[in-house]
Amino acid sequence: IEYKSLSGYEQARQAVLTAEEELMTGGHTYLSTDEAKVDDIFMEYKLGELAQGFRNAEQNAAALHFFKAKPLIDRSGVFRFLQKMPKGSVLHLHNTASVSSKWVVQNMSYMPGLLRCTTATGRSVLSFRRTPKEHKCQSQYVRVSDERHNSIDPLVYDQNFERLFNLYTPVPELEFPTITVVWDKFQDMFDVLGDAISYLPAFRAYHWQMLEELYNDNVMYAEIRTSCKKLYDASGRTFSKERTVRELYALNEKFVRLHPDFLGMKIIFAVYRGYEVEHLKAVIEEFRQIHEALPHFVVGFDLVGQEDKGKPLYALLPALRDLPSTARLFLHGGETNWFGASTDINLLDALLLNTTRIGHGYALAKHPILLNAVKTRQIAVEVSPISNQVLHLVWDLRNHPGAQYMALDVPIVICNDDPGFWNAKGLSYDFYYAIMSLAPNNGGLRVLKTLVWNSVRYSTLTEEEKTRAFQILELTWSRFIDKVLQGSVF
């Protein structure tokens, strides 16, 4: 191209920059005068932190592994802003890993009757009942309270105890050299904690705390993936899975009554993707009964576990065909670095099965036809940045495909997946990486506001519930904008 003048070149250059900016997530989001002022304030902090990171790589939280960045993020002005900001909904969160590990140590582990045993592979199992066969225990059961009491220092005991269900390490690159090492430890942690959480009193306290932590982090609604394990009580009675759901339902009703600006939670029934087809068919039958009993509470179905090692969706089609027509699918798909493998091809099957949203969709960037379909059909991708980093898909989150999804305005929602298992809490840490690492340097309030509104738009709330959700969101958002302008946020 020949340019007659320098101004012609400048115009062409500016036109492309503007076009790209309008194309991306938030490109058409309108900001009021007050919001524009808040955007200016926010951008000062954001650009300051990025400039600091540019000058000093050790301080560049946006590029660092979360385990190394967390102390920096905790001191960050951007993070303080994000904590106070209404974040709408979290749409991808697994219940067993939803609560901060500190709470589990300080509360659940002090509940009378908690036992610990060890399996042949050296994994601890926590429980309030003695069922060595089910727990695959090789050792005797010991009371956690006795162990703590007999330890030299109860504080040190608690620190070591927390490591049973928290992946945090100051040297993730040494402790988890490969994806297999980190996934094995991660999946083990569900087995460490799962049976203890299924004890009725613990179950109630744990899920109440889950809602509490979301509410305190300014999240107004959640869609929780859970396998609805059967509960048991102190007398050894075991209850049905329907009872598990009824417990969650009652807990939700009570929490919403006490927090009228919180819209509660809904359940996505999650099943291990390693099951054989016949076993999966039986579980789907259980799901059908629960879904039919409470269709507006148990809204959908998903398959969980490491995709690379689990069965591909294509192999499970015979069982998935039995799902009730009223149940929506929220399928994990493409949570992998492979290309042209069964794992990333799960994305194709998820779309052919008419999934409502896609869990992770990390490999979607490599499939232009599928990416286009997601955009055209407005299927939201549930992006969980810290999860993809901790579980070894990407080290520097600026290389996360979520950055491309934002640039192309693919519908995305920011999620936290399993915050309790990697030393996080709530949704704000993932939002930090979304705005500092995935969004461009000049991405500010328009991007944030779009992500927050997306989280309600792509939820399974009914039209009526959405109307109310947006009313509450408008109100809490404008209050937040006022607070920033009054100087009580920064």
Side-chain angles (χ1 to χ4, degrees), residues 181-246:
V181 175
V182 74
W183 261 96
D184 287 351
K185 177 90 195 306
F186 172 65
Q187 284 194 300
D188 271 356
M189 288 178 0
F190 287 90
D191 296 324
V192 171
L193 218 47
D195 204 52
I197 293 173
S198 303
Y199 174 56
L200 194 52
F203 184 85
R204 288 171 176 160
Y206 179 93
H207 288 88
W208 187 268
Q209 179 64 16
M210 173 185 82
L211 295 176
E212 201 77 68
E213 286 184 10
L214 291 173
Y215 182 76
N216 291 338
D217 196 38
N218 291 300
V219 173
M220 68 189 295
Y221 168 70
E223 292 183 3
I224 304 295
R225 283 165 163 90
T226 171
S227 61
C228 300
K229 278 199 170 84
K230 291 178 175 174
L231 305 180
Y232 60 95
D233 65 10
S235 69
R237 274 187 310 176
T238 306
F239 306 101
S240 69
K241 283 193 176 190
E242 187 166 336
R243 171 68 186 269
T244 309
V245 175
R246 299 251 171 228

Side-chain angles (χ1 to χ4, degrees), residues 316-328:
L316 299 172
L317 282 181
L320 295 174
R321 288 201 184 99
D322 295 346
L323 282 163
S325 59
T326 47
R328 285 181 268 195

Side-chain angles (χ1 to χ4, degrees), residues 13 62 85 89 117 119 123 129 162-163 172 182 221 238 243 251 255 262 266 305 311 334 388 390 414 434:
R13 192 170 182 273
M85 179 184 83
S89 323
C117 70
T119 67
R123 180 180 74 228
R129 59 180 166 185
E162 190 176 351
R163 294 186 58 137
V182 74
Y221 168 70
T238 306
R243 171 68 186 269
L251 196 94
F255 194 91
F262 188 75
K266 296 195 185 203
K311 292 191 170 49
N388 298 151
V390 171
I414 302 301

Side-chain angles (χ1 to χ4, degrees), residues 264-292:
M265 62 170 164
K266 296 195 185 203
I267 298 301
I268 295 167
F269 193 88
V271 180
Y272 177 55
R273 65 180 332 117
Y275 287 152
E276 294 303 324
V277 169
E278 286 315 305
H279 185 102
L280 184 58
K281 282 186 169 181
V283 181
I284 284 175
E285 192 42 50
E286 280 181 322
F287 164 68
R288 176 196 300 282
Q289 289 166 11
I290 294 168
H291 171 67
E292 282 170 0

Side-chain angles (χ1 to χ4, degrees), residues 1-16:
I1 307 168
E2 276 191 45
Y3 295 97
K4 298 273 189 306
S5 65
L6 194 57
S7 68
Y9 183 92
E10 290 296 338
Q11 272 176 335
R13 192 170 182 273
Q14 196 49 52
V16 173

Side-chain angles (χ1 to χ4, degrees), residues 291-322:
H291 171 67
E292 282 170 0
L294 289 165
H296 292 300
F297 185 61
V298 182
V299 290
F301 185 88
D302 185 19
L303 294 160
V304 297
Q306 189 179 2
E307 259 188 286
D308 283 337
K309 289 192 173 174
K311 292 191 170 49
L313 290 175
Y314 187 66
L316 299 172
L317 282 181
L320 295 174
R321 288 201 184 99
D322 295 346

Side-chain angles (χ1 to χ4, degrees), residues 383-443:
V383 175
S384 300
I386 296 172
S387 169
N388 298 151
Q389 182 186 58
V390 171
L391 296 178
H392 250 264
L393 292 182
V394 60
W395 183 270
D396 182 336
L397 279 166
R398 295 171 304 173
N399 294 328
H400 191 286
Q404 282 163 274
Y405 304 157
M406 271 197 196
L408 293 164
D409 196 20
V410 172
I412 63 168
V413 287
I414 302 301
C415 306
N416 56 2
D417 203 13
D418 306 276
F421 282 4
W422 41 70
N423 217 29
K425 186 179 181 179
L427 187 55
S428 294
Y429 289 106
D430 284 280
F431 256 92
Y432 181 86
Y433 281 110
I435 198 64
M436 297 296 280
S437 313
L438 306 190
N441 288 3
N442 63 352

